[in-house]
Amino acid sequence: MKFRYVLADSIQKFIEGSTLEEINIGCSSSQVIRIMKNDQIYFLKIMENSVLLLEYQKLLWLEGKLPVAKVVLFEEENGVFYLITEEVKGYMLSDSYYQSHVDQALKVIESAFKQFYTIDIKDCPFGFDLQSYLQNVRSKYLQGLILDEQLSSNVKKRFGTILHLLDYLEENQFFDEPVFSFGDLSLPNMIAIKDRLSGFVDVGSCGIFGKWFDIAICEKSIRRNLGEEAVLEFYQILNLKRNGCSGSVPLRQHWGWEFMWELPQK
């Protein structure tokens, strides 16, 4: 097993005698290792970035509020951050199983949104403002972690590149009802067993943000993993209309979401 970073002593001690497997899902500057130890599974995430400190803090805050991975060990040494968590048992909703069990996936997604809306943002210490989000996407683009080819054909035809789309969104900022947002509610970040939600992973982007952002990201991920018909069912289970309204309540507070959800997340 080749590590990109020198391991802290406490991490090295924890993984002694374990079976290790590197996990390569999505684009990230972190290294993720699956640890099999004493018939238990853990995950080690390593980053040369304080973003992992924030994820650790969010996991602690979310304990008892949402089903998230339990923190086993956190360490920082020489500017490198290490986080070990227990496994959230189950399968990602992007697993091939759910392509033939779309009804179960949608039931899990419905449960996820219901749980988000129970969290009172008055006590949430984590902000997630639009400007910071756009700057983060710009940084990922400049690092080559996301590509212009990930844009849909219609958006690419209008804007050409992610940078041009970012410029447009920054110059035409919009506002939305603040709620607790997961921040990257794509199907790989929801873990389930059949139609029951086990928990969430990769919580580093959560915080207070616009209500419809999770819906936007989730729709995009559903379309990619489960197909267009599943998107229509997704809006039905949330009692929302894709054309922009649910009863007398507007679905999108501003047309800006039409392009926001085109930004690649990974």
Side-chain angles (χ1 to χ4, degrees):
M1 177 75 234
K2 184 177 181 179
F3 291 95
R4 301 180 204 166
Y5 308 92
V6 175
L7 297 183
D9 290 343
S10 59
I11 303 298
Q12 185 68 58
K13 183 177 180 180
F14 184 89
I15 67 174
E16 283 179 1
S18 302
T19 301
L20 307 177
E21 176 189 2
E22 185 165 9
I23 306 298
N24 296 300
I25 297 176
C27 298
S28 174
S29 57
S30 65
Q31 185 176 22
V32 180
I33 310 296
R34 186 173 185 262
I35 304 169
M36 288 154 279
K37 177 179 180 179
N38 300 328
D39 297 323
Q40 299 290 326
I41 297 176
Y42 306 88
F43 288 91
L44 165 63
K45 184 181 286 189
I46 310 172
M47 278 186 90
E48 201 172 20
N49 192 313
S50 59
V51 167
L52 196 56
L53 170 61
L54 192 58
E55 181 170 348
Y56 163 67
Q57 293 170 338
K58 290 179 179 182
L59 282 170
L60 295 182
W61 187 81
L62 285 170
E63 189 172 354
K65 299 180 178 69
L66 285 178
V68 295
K70 184 178 179 180
V71 174
V72 176
L73 181 61
F74 179 79
E75 189 69 78
E76 185 273 328
E77 189 172 283
N78 299 322
V80 179
F81 297 82
Y82 311 83
L83 175 64
I84 296 178
T85 57
E86 291 184 356
E87 173 194 32
V88 177
K89 296 186 182 298
Y91 299 90
M92 296 182 294
L93 287 193
S94 56
D95 187 88
S96 59
Y97 170 84
Y98 288 105
Q99 294 175 8
S100 55
H101 296 83
V102 174
D103 57 329
Q104 294 185 16
L106 291 171
K107 189 172 181 180
V108 173
I109 293 168
E110 180 183 16
S111 174
F113 276 93
K114 284 181 178 178
Q115 292 191 46
F116 290 156
Y117 295 153
T118 65
I119 296 179
D120 189 346
I121 63 172
K122 287 189 301 183
D123 300 321
C124 181
F126 307 109
F128 185 45
D129 65 276
L130 176 60
Q131 187 61 37
S132 295
Y133 176 78
L134 294 176
Q135 289 174 355
N136 184 50
V137 174
R138 186 181 293 273
S139 175
K140 288 183 178 180
Y141 179 83
L142 295 175
Q143 293 175 62
L145 298 177
I146 54 177
L147 306 171
D148 294 328
E149 288 70 24
Q150 293 173 259
L151 292 174
S152 69
S153 57
N154 288 337
V155 171
K156 192 172 182 181
K157 182 177 180 180
R158 174 166 179 176
F159 294 100
T161 69
I162 290 174
L163 282 181
H164 290 154
L165 173 54
L166 285 168
D167 290 342
Y168 177 81
L169 290 169
E170 287 175 347
E171 292 169 5
N172 297 273
Q173 291 198 27
F174 50 95
F175 301 93
D176 196 358
E177 177 187 352
V179 296
F180 180 83
S181 167
F182 190 78
D184 184 7
L185 194 59
S186 54
L187 269 57
N189 289 336
M190 288 179 272
I191 310 298
I193 298 175
K194 294 188 175 179
D195 64 354
R196 300 196 63 173
L197 177 68
S198 299
F200 303 93
V201 296
D202 201 5
V203 304
S205 297
C206 74
I208 301 171
F209 200 40
K211 181 175 183 178
W212 308 111
F213 187 67
D214 281 335
I215 295 173
I217 296 299
C218 196
E219 174 184 337
K220 182 179 178 183
S221 189
I222 290 171
R223 178 176 290 108
R224 181 171 60 247
N225 290 280
L226 303 177
E228 188 65 38
E229 186 174 337
V231 171
L232 300 177
E233 295 180 51
F234 165 65
Y235 276 93
Q236 290 175 0
I237 65 170
L238 293 185
N239 194 30
L240 300 169
K241 293 184 179 180
R242 178 66 174 82
N243 64 4
C245 63
S246 174
S248 60
V249 181
L251 171 58
R252 290 186 223 137
Q253 301 299 319
H254 194 282
W255 46 261
W257 289 124
E258 188 70 40
F259 301 118
M260 272 293 292
W261 63 26
E262 290 291 344
L263 288 171
Q265 304 304 300
K266 293 183 177 182

